[in-house]
Amino acid sequence: MLTQFKMDCRLHKADFLVYLLGELGGFLLGVLLLILIMRTDKEADSWFCLGTMMALVATTILVLFIGGFGCSGEFQLAIAMGRTRGAFMGSYALRLLLQIGVSYLLALALYRVELAVYPLFFPAAGNETPFQFLTDTRILIPAGLGLLILAMFLGAVYGRYGKKGMWVFYVFWLFGCLVLPRLTQDEFGSSILNKAALGIRTLYLAVAPGVWVVLGMLTAAAMTATIIALGKKQMVRL
């Protein structure tokens, strides 16, 4: 499988470039937005690494779209060319994990650039939110593996159920956009979304951190088992 993995990396080296260019694009957009905010808001007395945050968001979107849904097309081609399902899925997962790792290293480098440059442009302001998680392996490893599993899961569901599988991604995306940003609110209104956010935050605070770790591991194991099961059943359309 390692030989095939190396061949796949050489064959799809353009994908690495797409990921890095997308990440750089997100970074530049974040930097421009921060500069605009600092220049127009006369009361701004602090900054944060918006470029790095936007780079991480761009990487996540690319991994889910290209890495996740792109798996189905590559699967069809690989099986048609005589590769086994297990060998392809293993090689694809390793390549996607490598892409995530390379994107993380670039994000870390861009973060260091922001930390060095912003004090020169905004000497009177300080760093409001240091991204300490970027060097914390207790967060990085689960986050990287979780992103890999989620992308593979979405790809497996889409490959097995076609356009109907898109609804799985849509539910995740809708939940993330409408509910998660509300978790940091100090006050919650009476709308359904606010009630959902309040319920999630209350549940999160009521459960011990160790329990969430176990639940996360069980969820990851269940999603991995689903990926394998759907991969075995996915139809090959020649």
Side-chain angles (χ1 to χ4, degrees):
M1 186 176 69
L2 290 178
T3 302
Q4 189 63 53
F5 166 69
K6 294 178 181 178
M7 293 177 59
D8 287 343
C9 288
R10 289 193 295 268
L11 181 63
H12 296 279
K13 57 184 179 182
D15 290 351
F16 287 86
L17 182 61
V18 171
Y19 277 76
L20 297 181
L21 289 177
E23 187 175 3
L24 284 173
F27 173 77
L28 293 176
L29 177 61
V31 170
L32 291 176
L33 288 175
L34 181 69
I35 293 175
L36 180 63
I37 292 171
M38 297 298 292
R39 294 301 185 188
T40 56
D41 188 356
K42 302 301 182 182
E43 298 181 357
D45 58 357
S46 62
W47 50 266
F48 73 102
C49 295
L50 183 58
T52 302
M53 186 183 75
M54 293 292 289
L56 293 173
V57 171
T59 297
T60 301
I61 294 174
L62 288 172
V63 168
L64 294 179
F65 271 99
I66 299 179
F69 294 114
C71 179
S72 178
E74 289 193 32
F75 175 87
Q76 298 292 330
L77 181 60
I79 301 305
M81 295 179 64
R83 294 179 60 181
T84 64
R85 296 169 185 256
F88 166 77
M89 295 298 290
S91 176
Y92 190 88
L94 285 176
R95 175 157 53 90
L96 188 56
L97 184 61
L98 177 60
Q99 290 172 329
I100 293 173
V102 172
S103 297
Y104 158 72
L105 292 177
L106 177 59
L108 184 60
L110 296 175
Y111 175 62
R112 300 300 185 190
V113 170
E114 286 191 288
L115 290 179
V117 171
Y118 287 157
L120 300 178
F121 286 93
F122 315 114
N127 187 0
E128 179 181 351
T129 309
F131 290 174
Q132 298 177 349
F133 65 88
L134 284 176
T135 56
D136 190 345
T137 54
R138 295 173 300 177
I139 298 177
L140 292 175
I141 294 177
L145 293 177
L147 181 59
L148 170 66
I149 293 173
L150 179 58
M152 296 291 292
F153 176 77
L154 293 175
V157 171
Y158 178 69
R160 180 66 177 86
Y161 299 105
K163 293 182 179 180
K164 294 180 180 179
M166 290 288 289
W167 283 101
V168 176
F169 177 78
Y170 180 71
V171 170
F172 277 108
W173 187 262
L174 198 63
F175 175 81
C177 292
L178 298 181
V179 178
L180 293 184
R182 302 170 187 264
L183 296 178
T184 58
Q185 295 179 165
D186 295 327
E187 297 182 0
F188 294 86
S190 58
S191 68
I192 296 178
L193 294 176
N194 282 325
K195 289 181 179 179
L198 178 59
I200 292 173
R201 192 169 80 169
T202 301
L203 177 63
Y204 175 77
L205 296 175
V207 177
V211 175
W212 285 116
V213 172
V214 174
L215 289 175
M217 294 175 64
L218 291 176
T219 301
M223 293 176 69
T224 302
T226 303
I227 293 169
I228 296 173
L230 293 179
K232 293 179 179 180
K233 297 179 180 180
Q234 183 173 338
M235 295 178 60
V236 179
R237 303 174 180 88
L238 302 178

